[in-house]
C-alpha cells in the first residue's frame, strides 16, 4: 500500500534513506523531545503525525542519553516491521497502544529522524492525521477503509485507506489513479448505503468526516459518456430498447428538446441560453466544476447548475437528435414552485429564474458581506459607478455576472423639494416597452328600438383610456342615433352582467366581453325618478316541468338576448307592458290567429290557474294585434293612441290575470333573473327587472329562435386597426425616457421625509458581453390583459448602442458598443394559449436554425424578424472576435464538483 495522507517524507523516497550528518546526541534529544517542534508539543487539527515502533524509539533514547558516544548502540534505520500486519498492503495490526507499541512524532521530528537514520527499505512511513473529536484533538491511528469501484464494474472493488480529514476530492483522485481514468474526463462519486441505495457525493471539497462515511462502505466512481450523458441515466433508458442516439453523429448544438407537456417556454429559453458561446464553452470545458457553490443560502445547492450542464453537454456532444429535459424540469419545479406541473408559462420568466439560479450556484463569493448602497451625493458619475460595480462584485461574482450584467444610472427627482438622487444599479437584461397605440378597437352589438331591425355588429375605434360615453359617440357616427339615447351593457349567459354608466372607464371592458348597446327613449333613465320614461331590463325564460309527484313546481331557464325597454312612467302597468314587449318581440314572435284564439281560449281558461305560479302576473288583454297604436310612444313607434292604464301606478294592484289567451306571462325578478320578487314599487331605488316566462308549447309554436338569434354586420366590421412597425431603437429610447412614478410605487424622499411621486429616468452606463432584450409584449392592468403583436424591426448585425450609453466612450474601440444577434425567443398566439420557439445561430458553424421543441431546421437570416419575436440575445462584437481568434485547446477537467450528500438515486445494472 502506498503512503497514506500525504507525500513521502524525506529519506523514504524510493525506500532509500537519505542521510545527512547527525548532530550530537544532546542536540538530537532537544530537537525531537524538547523544542517547540518536538514530540511534546500539542496536537493541531488537520496536521500529520507519524507512528514509530516503540522498541526502535527506545533504542534511540538510550543512544542519545549516554554521555559518551557508543557506536555499538546506534539504533540503525527506523524499522516499523512490528507494527504491520502484513508486508503487502501494509495494514497496521489491530489493537496497537500508544506508548507500548508505538510513539507519535510530529512531521518536523519525523523528518529529522529519517534524515539522520533513514527508513527501512520498502517500508512506507505511517502517516496519520490529527482530527478534532468534539473539541479534543487526537491522532487517527486507524483511518477509514473504503472500497472503490467503477460504475461499469460494480463487482470489482479495491480497498483504500483515508483519513476522516481527507476531502472527497482526494478520494476521487485516488479512484481515478486506481482505475486509470484521465483527470480530463468528468467523473463523480456515489456511495452505497446499508440498504443498497446510492447517494451522490456532490461536494468534493468537504471531508469524509462531514459526509459521515463509514469504514467498509462502497464508493462508486462514474465517468461521463462521450454523448454527454451519465451511465446511471442510460441504465434507466436501456429497458426501452437500444439507444439509437449512439449511432447518430451530427453538428454539435443542433439538438431538439422534447416537449414534456406545455414546456415549450422552457425549451425556448434553454435553446437561447445554450447558444451563448462563452457560457456554453464555460460548461463544455468543465470550468464550472471548480466554481460550484454548495453553501450559498440563496442558491440551489449546485443542482440547477449541474442539471443545466448535463443538458449543454448532451446537446453539444453531437450524438443526439433531441433530448428529454425531464431531470432539468424536475429540478426547476423543486426550487421554483410556480413552474411545477405542466401549465404554460412565460419563457422570459423562466429565463430570469435560470440566470439567477445559475449565478447563485456558481457564485465565487462564498460568504457575502453586507454592502450599503450609497447615493451619489454630488460626486462625479465615474466615481460613483466604479464604487457601485465594486460593491456589486463583492457580493456577486460569477460567469453570469461576467457575461450578462451591465450597469444602469437611475436618477430620481422629488417634485416638491427638487432633491435629486443618483444611484447606479446592476441589471441582467433590459425589459423595454413597445410604443403603445392610444386607440382601441371594440366590437359591439347595436339593438335598435325598431323591432323590425336586426341587431347590428359594429367595430368601433375608441380611445384606449376613454369612457363609456366615447363608445356611444363612436357608435352614433355609424347609426345616426344620439349618444344620449344609448345604454351600454355587458351580456353574459342570457343576463345582464353589468349595465354601465356613461362616466365609467372603458378599461373595465375586456376584449372577450359581449357588449350590447341599446337604443332607448331620450326621456329614459334606469335609476332617475325625475325622467318621464323608465328603462326596464327584460329577460326571457322558459318553464321546464320538474319531476315532482304533483307537478306543482316549474323550473325556469334563461334563453335568448335580454332587452332594455323604455316604458312611460305614467302608463307602467302589466297590460301596457305586455303590449309593449309583444311589439318589441314582433320580429321573431308570431301573433296567434283568430282560429288559434278560439281553439286555445278554453284550454287557457282551464289550465291557466294550474300552470301559472301564484306569485306570477299574467299579462293578457285584447286578442287583437296591439300594433303601433297600442305599443305607446316610448316603445319605438313614432305615434299612436294611449294604452289604457290602471288607476294605480304600481304593479301590486295590477290585474293578476286576463280571461283572454296569452303568449307569455310577466314576472318581477332579481338582477340574475333566477328568483322572483314578490312586488315592485316604482319609487324604490332598487333596479326593476322583468322576466318574460314562456310555456314550452307556446314558445315552440310562436317563438322563432333562428330569427331571434339573427344579426347583421355593419360595413365597419371589416375595419382592421393597422399597426405600423417600430424599430428596436425606438423601444430602447422609450425605455430611457423620463417617467413619473405611479401611486402604487412612490419614492421616499430623504429630504422631505415622505413618499413622493418622483420623476425617474434610467440611463445605460455600461453594457454586458451578451445583452438580453425583453420586448414587453404582454400588458396587464387591473381590468385588462393584452398582447401587443406589433412588428419590431431589429437588426441582425451592428446594433449600435453608442447613442444610448452615457458613460464617456472610447472612440478608438467602436466595437464595444456594437452587437450582433445570436438568438431569439418567439411567442405565437395570445394570452391564454400560445407556443414558444427559438431562432439561434450556431457558435461553430455560424448557421441559423429554427428550434421548435424536438424539431430543428436551418433557416436564413431574412426569416428571423417577425411579430413573434419576444426575447432577443445580442453579443458584443469584440467578444465575438475574441472567441473566433481564441485557440481551441483540449478540454481540461478540473476535479469534480461539490455539495453535501444528496438523496439522488442511481440505478445499477
Amino acid at each position: 500500500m502506498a503512503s497514506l495522507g500525504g507525500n513521502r517524507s524525506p529519506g523514504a523516497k524510493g525506500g532509500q534513506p537519505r542521510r545527512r550528518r547527525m548532530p550530537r546526541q544532546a542536540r538530537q534529544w532537544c530537537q525531537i523531545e524538547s523544542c517547540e517542534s518536538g514530540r511534546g508539543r500539542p496536537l493541531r487539527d488537520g496536521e500529520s503525525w507519524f507512528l514509530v515502533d516503540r522498541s526502535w524509539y527506545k533504542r534511540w533514547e538510550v543512544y542519545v542519553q549516554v554521555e559518551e558516544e557508543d557506536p555499538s548502540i546506534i539504533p540503525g534505520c527506523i524499522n516499523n516491521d512490528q507494527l504491520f500486519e502484513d508486508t503487502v498492503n501494509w495494514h497496521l495490526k489491530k489493537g496497537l497502544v500508544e506508548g507500548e507499541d508505538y510513539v507519535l512524532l510530529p512531521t518536523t521530528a519525523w523528518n529529522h529522524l529519517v534524515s539522520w537514520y533513514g527508513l527501512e527499505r520498502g517500508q512506507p512511513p505511517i502517516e496519520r492525521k490529527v482530527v478534532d473529536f468534539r473539541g479534543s484533538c487526537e491522532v487517527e491511528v486507524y483511518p477509514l477503509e473504503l472500497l472503490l469501484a467503477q460504475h461499469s464494474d460494480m463487482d470489482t472493488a479495491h480497498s483504500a485507506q483515508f483519513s476522516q480529514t481527507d476531502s472527497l476530492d482526494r478520494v476521487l483522485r485516488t479512484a481515478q489513479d486506481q482505475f486509470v481514468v484521465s483527470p480530463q474526463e468528468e467523473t463523480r462519486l456515489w456511495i452505497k448505503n446499508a440498504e443498497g441505495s446510492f447517494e451522490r457525493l456532490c461536494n468534493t471539497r468537504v471531508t469524509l468526516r462531514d459526509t459521515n462515511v463509514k469504514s467498509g462502505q462502497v464508493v462508486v466512481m462514474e465517468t461521463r459518456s462521450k454523448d454527454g450523458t451519465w451511465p446511471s441515466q442510460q441504465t434507466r433508458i436501456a429497458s426501452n430498447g437500444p439507444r439509437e442516439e449512439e449511432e447518430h453523429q451530427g453538428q454539435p448544438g443542433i439538438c431538439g428538446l422534447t416537449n414534456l407537456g406545455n414546456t415549450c417556454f422552457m425549451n425556448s429559453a434553454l435553446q437561447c441560453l445554450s447558444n451563448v458561446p462563452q457560457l456554453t464553452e464555460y460548461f463544455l470545458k468543465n470550468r464550472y466544476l471548480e466554481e460550484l457553490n454548495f453553501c450559498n443560502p440563496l442558491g440551489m445547492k449546485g443542482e440547477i447548475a449541474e442539471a443545466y450542464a448535463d443538458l449543454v453537454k448532451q446537446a453539444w456532444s453531437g450524438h443526439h437528435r433531441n433530448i428529454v429535459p425531464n431531470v432539468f424540469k424536475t429540478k426547476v419545479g423543486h426550487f421554483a414552485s410556480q413552474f411545477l406541473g405542466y401549465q404554460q408559462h412565460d419563457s422570459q420568466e423562466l429565463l430570469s429564474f435560470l440566470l439567477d439560479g445559475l449565478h447563485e450556484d456558481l457564485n465565487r463569493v462564498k460568504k457575502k458581506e453586507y454592502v450599503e448602497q450609497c447615493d451619489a451625493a454630488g460626486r462625479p458619475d465615474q466615481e460613483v459607478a466604479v464604487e457601485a460595480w465594486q460593491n456589486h462584485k463583492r457580493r456577486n461574482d460569477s460567469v453570469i455576472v461576467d457575461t450578462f450584467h451591465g450597469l444602469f444610472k437611475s436618477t430620481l427627482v422629488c417634485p416638491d423639494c427638487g432633491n435629486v438622487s443618483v444611484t447606479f444599479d446592476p441589471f441582467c437584461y433590459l425589459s423595454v416597452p413597445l410604443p403603445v397605440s392610444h386607440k382601441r378597437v371594440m366590437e359591439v352589438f347595436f339593438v335598435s328600438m325598431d323591432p323590425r331591425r336586426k341587431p347590428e355588429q359594429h367595430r368601433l375605434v375608441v380611445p384606449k383610456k376613454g369612457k363609456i360615453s366615447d363608445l356611444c359617440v363612436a357608435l352614433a357616427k355609424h347609426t345616426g342615433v344620439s349618444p344620449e339615447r344609448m345604454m351600454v351593457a355587458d351580456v353574459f349567459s342570457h343576463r345582464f352582467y353589468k349595465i354601465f354608466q356613461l362616466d365609467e372607464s372603458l378599461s373595465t371592458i375586456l376584449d372577450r366581453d359581449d357588449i350590447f348597446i341599446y337604443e332607448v327613449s331620450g326621456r329614459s333613465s334606469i335609476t332617475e325618478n325625475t325622467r318621464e320614461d323608465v328603462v326596464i331590463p327584460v329577460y326571457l325564460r322558459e318553464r321546464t316541468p320538474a319531476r315532482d309527484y304533483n307537478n306543482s313546481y316549474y323550473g325556469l331557464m334563461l334563453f335568448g338576448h335580454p332587452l332594455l325597454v323604455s316604458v312611460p312612467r305614467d302608463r307602467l302597468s302589466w297590460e301596457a307592458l305586455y303590449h309593449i314587449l309583444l311589439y318589441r318581440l314582433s320580429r321573431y314572435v308570431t301573433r296567434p290567429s283568430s282560429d288559434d284564439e278560439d281553439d286555445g281560449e278554453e284550454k287557457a281558461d282551464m289550465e291557466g290557474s294550474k300552470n301559472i305560479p301564484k306569485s306570477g302576473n299574467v299579462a293578457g288583454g285584447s286578442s287583437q294585434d296591439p300594433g303601433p297604436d297600442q305599443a305607446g310612444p316610448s316603445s319605438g313607434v313614432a305615434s299612436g293612441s294611449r294604452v289604457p292604464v290602471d288607476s294605480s301606478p304600481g304593479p301590486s294592484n295590477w290585474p293578476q290575470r286576463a280571461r283572454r289567451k296569452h303568449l307569455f306571462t310577466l314576472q318581477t325578478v332579481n338582477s340574475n333573473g333566477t328568483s322572483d320578487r314578490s312586488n315592485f314599487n316604482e319609487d324604490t331605488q332598487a333596479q326593476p327587472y322583468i322576466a318574460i316566462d314562456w310555456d314550452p308549447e307556446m314558445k315552440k309554436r310562436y317563438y322563432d329562435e333562428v330569427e331571434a338569434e339573427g344579426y347583421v354586420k355593419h360595413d365597419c366590421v371589416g375595419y382592421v386597426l393597422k399597426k405600423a412597425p417600430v424599430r428596436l431603437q425606438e423601444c430602447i429610447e422609450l425605455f430611457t425616457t423620463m417617467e413619473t412614478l405611479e401611486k402604487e410605487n412612490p419614492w421616499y424622499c430623504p429630504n422631505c421625509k415622505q413618499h413622493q411621486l418622483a420623476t425617474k429616468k434610467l440611463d445605460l452606463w455600461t453594457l454586458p458581453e451578451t445583452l438580453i432584450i425583453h420586448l414587453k409584449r404582454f400588458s396587464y392592468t387591473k381590468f385588462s390583459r393584452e398582447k401587443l403583436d406589433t412588428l419590431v424591426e431589429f437588426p441582425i448585425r451592428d446594433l449600435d448602442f453608442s447613442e444610448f450609453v452615457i458613460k464617456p466612450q472610447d472612440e478608438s474601440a467602436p466595437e464595444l458598443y456594437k452587437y450582433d444577434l445570436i438568438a431569439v425567443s418567439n411567442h405565437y398566439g395570445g394570452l391564454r394559449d400560445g407556443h414558444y420557439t427559438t431562432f439561434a445561430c450556431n457558435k461553430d458553424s455560424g448557421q441559423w436554425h429554427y428550434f421548435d421543441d424536438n424539431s430543428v431546421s436551418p433557416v436564413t437570416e431574412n426569416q428571423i424578424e417577425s411579430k413573434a419575436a419576444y426575447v432577443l440575445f445580442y453579443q458584443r462584437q469584440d467578444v465575438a472576435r475574441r472567441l473566433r481568434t481564441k485557440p481551441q485547446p483540449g478540454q481540461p477537467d478540473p476535479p469534480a464538483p461539490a455539495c453535501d450528500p444528496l438523496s439522488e438515486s442511481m440505478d445499477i445494472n
Side-chain angles (χ1 to χ4, degrees):
M1 176 96 185
S3 154
L4 303 176
N7 297 326
R8 188 179 298 274
S9 302
K13 185 175 182 179
Q16 295 294 331
R18 188 174 59 199
R19 305 292 183 85
R20 64 183 175 89
R21 184 175 180 180
M22 288 187 295
R24 299 182 65 83
Q25 292 99 313
R27 180 64 179 166
Q28 291 186 42
W29 175 263
C30 179
Q31 292 185 14
I32 301 301
E33 287 283 349
S34 303
C35 70
E36 294 182 358
S37 61
R39 191 164 73 97
R41 71 169 184 79
L43 303 174
R44 302 187 185 99
D45 185 30
E47 66 179 357
S48 295
W49 284 59
F50 292 81
L51 274 68
V52 177
D53 181 74
R54 177 72 181 106
S55 59
W56 181 92
Y57 192 78
K58 200 169 184 179
R59 292 198 300 274
W60 173 82
E61 288 181 317
V62 171
Y63 168 68
V64 296
Q65 290 178 353
V66 296
E67 293 183 0
E68 295 183 3
E69 183 175 353
D70 185 358
S72 64
I73 61 174
I74 295 177
C77 289
I78 301 173
N79 190 347
N80 292 326
D81 185 64
Q82 298 300 316
L83 301 181
F84 292 113
E85 190 175 62
D86 61 82
T87 58
V88 178
N89 294 319
W90 301 103
H91 288 166
L92 290 182
K93 294 179 179 179
K94 302 297 182 182
L96 296 178
V97 179
E98 182 183 3
E100 296 182 8
D101 302 301
Y102 64 88
V103 295
L104 291 170
L105 296 178
T107 301
T108 303
W110 166 260
N111 290 338
H112 283 319
L113 289 180
V114 172
S115 66
W116 297 333
Y117 299 98
L119 182 63
E120 188 70 25
R121 183 182 298 273
Q123 283 189 10
I126 309 175
E127 180 182 0
R128 293 296 183 260
K129 294 288 185 179
V130 177
V131 295
D132 187 348
F133 288 105
R134 299 177 181 178
S136 176
C137 289
E138 300 177 10
V139 176
E140 186 185 30
V141 177
Y142 294 97
L144 292 174
E145 185 169 337
L146 302 179
L147 301 176
L148 305 180
Q150 279 186 295
H151 181 269
S152 57
D153 186 10
M154 296 289 295
D155 296 330
T156 304
H158 299 267
S159 176
Q161 291 184 342
F162 302 92
S163 167
Q164 291 194 24
T165 59
D166 285 338
S167 66
L168 287 177
D169 181 62
R170 184 173 184 274
V171 177
L172 182 62
R173 285 188 282 108
T174 302
Q176 289 173 337
D177 293 341
Q178 179 68 54
F179 301 114
V180 196
V181 175
S182 170
Q184 274 64 46
E185 295 193 59
E186 189 176 353
T187 54
R188 61 182 185 181
L189 296 178
W190 300 78
I191 189 165
K192 187 176 183 180
N193 294 324
E195 60 272 18
S197 62
F198 287 80
E199 290 183 4
R200 274 282 312 281
L201 297 174
C202 300
N203 191 351
T204 58
R205 291 188 283 272
V206 300
T207 65
L208 289 170
R209 179 175 56 187
D210 296 331
T211 60
N212 293 322
V213 175
K214 307 298 181 184
S215 287
Q217 284 191 280
V218 176
V219 176
V220 178
M221 184 184 70
E222 184 181 17
T223 305
R224 191 188 288 273
S225 305
K226 292 182 179 180
D227 65 354
T229 61
W230 294 101
S232 57
Q233 296 173 343
Q234 296 179 10
T235 306
R236 303 170 189 172
I237 305 174
S239 58
N240 297 328
R243 289 172 50 86
E244 299 179 0
E245 303 291 348
E246 293 177 355
E247 302 176 0
H248 176 73
Q249 183 62 50
Q251 172 72 41
I254 310 305
C255 177
L257 296 173
T258 301
N259 193 322
L260 306 176
N262 286 327
T263 58
C264 57
F265 73 96
M266 181 183 75
N267 294 346
S268 178
L270 287 173
Q271 293 288 14
C272 287
L273 210 57
S274 173
N275 282 277
V276 176
Q278 60 269 48
L279 183 64
T280 296
E281 287 295 316
Y282 172 83
F283 282 97
L284 292 180
K285 295 184 177 180
N286 292 333
R287 292 199 293 268
Y288 77 100
L289 294 176
E290 279 298 316
E291 297 183 350
L292 282 167
N293 190 336
F294 299 95
C295 305
N296 187 352
L298 300 179
M300 293 146 200
K301 300 180 180 179
E303 294 186 46
I304 289 295
E306 287 190 325
Y308 178 74
D310 288 346
L311 283 180
V312 169
K313 288 178 178 290
Q314 293 176 47
W316 288 86
S317 68
H319 292 281
H320 301 276
R321 291 185 178 89
N322 56 78
I323 54 182
V324 183
N326 50 2
V327 175
F328 181 82
K329 170 70 172 62
T330 302
K331 297 290 185 185
V332 169
H334 175 71
F335 290 104
S337 58
Q338 67 268 31
F339 297 115
L340 278 173
Y342 297 93
Q343 299 296 318
Q344 183 66 279
H345 293 280
D346 191 318
S347 66
Q348 189 272 332
E349 292 180 0
L350 188 279
L351 182 66
S352 176
F353 161 79
L354 182 54
L355 288 173
D356 184 64
L358 289 175
H359 161 63
E360 296 295 355
D361 274 359
L362 299 169
N363 199 344
R364 303 174 187 115
V365 179
K366 307 306 179 185
K367 186 176 181 180
K368 294 189 177 185
E369 57 181 307
Y370 173 75
V371 176
E372 185 175 356
Q373 187 179 26
C374 297
D375 193 86
R379 293 179 293 164
D381 285 350
Q382 185 75 28
E383 177 185 339
V384 181
V386 170
E387 178 186 71
W389 185 252
Q390 289 176 347
N391 288 341
H392 179 59
K393 292 278 284 187
R394 284 162 64 186
R395 292 176 54 87
N396 304 278
D397 185 16
S398 70
V399 65
I400 302 300
V401 175
D402 299 340
T403 307
F404 298 102
H405 282 207
L407 204 62
F408 280 140
K409 177 186 177 182
S410 176
T411 305
L412 290 161
V413 180
C414 178
D416 286 353
C417 67
N419 179 42
V420 179
S421 172
V422 176
T423 57
F424 287 82
D425 306 300
F427 68 89
C428 191
Y429 51 84
L430 299 181
S431 288
V432 300
L434 274 62
V436 179
S437 171
H438 298 293
K439 298 293 184 181
R440 175 184 178 186
V441 177
M442 298 183 65
E443 290 189 358
V444 301
F445 289 91
F446 173 67
V447 181
S448 172
M449 289 179 65
D450 185 353
R452 294 168 296 184
R453 293 178 59 183
K454 292 183 179 181
E456 291 180 345
Q457 184 183 18
H458 291 256
R459 181 170 288 177
L460 308 175
V461 180
V462 294
K464 182 168 289 187
K465 296 184 179 181
K467 299 183 180 299
I468 298 295
S469 58
D470 296 314
L471 189 64
C472 297
V473 170
L475 181 61
K477 296 177 182 179
H478 294 180
T479 62
V481 177
S482 171
E484 296 179 354
R485 299 183 60 187
M486 295 181 185
M487 297 193 69
V488 183
D490 182 356
V491 175
F492 176 73
S493 189
H494 313 291
R495 59 173 60 88
F496 291 115
Y497 181 77
K498 183 176 183 180
I499 299 175
F500 296 95
Q501 300 296 320
L502 293 178
D503 60 349
E504 291 190 66
S505 174
L506 287 175
S507 62
T508 60
I509 299 178
L510 306 182
D511 290 337
R512 65 175 183 267
D513 293 340
D514 293 323
I515 303 301
F516 283 71
I517 300 181
Y518 296 86
E519 181 188 5
V520 296
S521 167
R523 307 174 303 169
S524 300
S525 172
I526 204 163
T527 57
E528 297 179 16
N529 292 335
T530 59
R531 303 302 290 267
E532 298 179 18
D533 293 353
V534 61
V535 176
I536 298 180
V538 179
Y539 293 148
L540 300 174
R541 303 193 301 184
E542 180 181 2
R543 294 192 184 95
T544 56
R547 297 180 179 178
D548 201 313
Y549 65 92
N550 60 2
N551 288 331
S552 61
Y553 174 80
Y554 285 82
L556 293 166
M557 181 179 296
L558 291 169
F559 71 94
H561 298 301
L563 296 172
L564 288 177
V565 180
S566 299
V567 179
R569 190 177 295 277
D570 59 353
R571 279 184 274 113
L572 195 60
S573 68
W574 287 115
E575 183 180 0
L577 187 58
Y578 173 79
H579 289 295
I580 292 172
L581 295 177
L582 193 61
Y583 176 73
R584 288 296 299 268
L585 302 176
S586 60
R587 182 172 57 86
Y588 44 90
V589 172
T590 305
R591 312 298 172 83
S593 64
S594 58
D595 293 337
D596 292 336
E597 186 74 30
D598 296 337
D599 192 40
E601 183 175 342
E602 182 179 353
K603 183 177 180 182
D605 289 340
M606 292 175 61
E607 299 182 359
S609 60
K610 178 177 69 174
N611 292 341
I612 300 173
K614 294 181 180 181
S615 61
N617 299 293
V618 179
S622 170
S623 63
Q624 300 177 357
D625 187 336
D629 292 341
Q630 293 185 1
S634 298
S635 63
V637 182
S639 64
S641 60
R642 293 171 64 88
V643 178
V645 297
D646 295 334
S647 57
S648 172
S652 59
N653 296 322
W654 292 349
Q656 296 299 306
R657 182 174 179 273
R659 289 292 181 177
R660 300 299 183 97
K661 181 177 177 60
H662 59 277
L663 297 182
F664 49 78
T665 61
L666 302 180
Q667 179 66 52
T668 55
V669 294
N670 64 9
S671 60
N672 289 326
T674 55
S675 61
D676 296 340
R677 294 168 54 165
S678 59
N679 57 13
F680 161 66
N681 188 330
E682 64 174 286
D683 295 327
T684 182
Q685 294 297 321
Q687 173 66 51
Y689 285 80
I690 298 295
I692 298 177
D693 292 341
W694 287 85
D695 182 81
E697 185 62 30
M698 298 295 284
K699 177 174 177 286
K700 182 178 180 181
R701 290 176 63 182
Y702 300 110
Y703 187 90
D704 187 344
E705 292 194 34
V706 176
E707 181 65 24
E709 294 295 326
Y711 68 95
V712 295
K713 293 185 177 181
H714 191 270
D715 294 340
C716 65
V717 173
Y719 173 80
V720 177
L721 184 62
K722 296 182 179 180
K723 298 180 180 179
V726 299
R727 297 168 59 246
L728 178 60
Q729 289 85 341
E730 295 178 53
C731 300
I732 300 171
E733 185 176 352
L734 191 60
F735 174 79
T736 57
T737 301
M738 183 181 297
E739 62 178 354
T740 302
L741 298 179
E742 298 178 349
K743 294 181 180 179
E744 296 79 11
N745 186 30
W747 170 65
Y748 182 79
C749 177
N751 194 28
C752 298
K753 305 298 182 183
Q754 60 182 352
H755 289 89
Q756 300 283 5
L757 299 182
T759 58
K760 180 179 181 180
K761 189 178 190 306
L762 290 177
D763 292 295
L764 301 176
W765 183 262
T766 56
L767 297 177
E769 293 183 354
T770 301
L771 179 62
I772 302 175
I773 302 177
H774 165 224
L775 303 178
K776 298 173 70 173
R777 292 194 177 275
F778 299 105
S779 173
Y780 299 95
T781 65
K782 183 178 181 182
F783 300 104
S784 65
R785 298 183 300 168
E786 63 175 333
K787 179 191 175 184
L788 305 176
D789 58 354
T790 306
L791 174 63
V792 178
E793 298 175 341
F794 51 88
I796 305 298
R797 295 184 183 84
D798 297 326
L799 174 61
D800 192 352
F801 272 89
S802 58
E803 61 178 303
F804 300 107
V805 175
I806 65 171
K807 179 183 177 180
Q809 300 178 17
D810 183 2
E811 297 181 359
S812 63
E815 67 275 7
L816 294 177
Y817 311 101
K818 289 187 177 181
Y819 286 78
D820 295 334
L821 188 72
I822 57 173
V824 181
S825 175
N826 305 300
H827 179 267
Y828 301 91
L831 287 169
R832 296 187 176 183
D833 53 8
H835 183 60
Y836 288 92
T837 63
T838 299
F839 289 114
C841 180
N842 186 274
K843 69 180 182 66
D844 297 332
S845 66
Q847 170 68 47
W848 281 89
H849 288 82
Y850 181 64
F851 297 84
D852 185 357
D853 289 333
N854 57 0
S855 173
V856 184
S857 56
V859 293
T860 58
E861 291 185 358
N862 58 9
Q863 296 176 266
I864 297 171
E865 185 178 275
S866 73
K867 293 182 178 180
Y870 182 44
V871 183
L872 310 176
F873 284 69
Y874 279 93
Q875 186 175 61
R876 208 168 61 204
Q877 289 184 349
D878 69 308
V879 177
R881 186 176 297 107
R882 183 187 71 205
L883 293 174
R884 285 195 299 267
T885 58
K886 189 174 182 179
Q888 300 295 327
Q891 296 184 1
D893 278 70
C899 186
D900 297 330
L902 296 178
S903 297
E904 294 188 27
S905 60
M906 178 175 74
D907 296 329
I908 300 301
N909 188 352

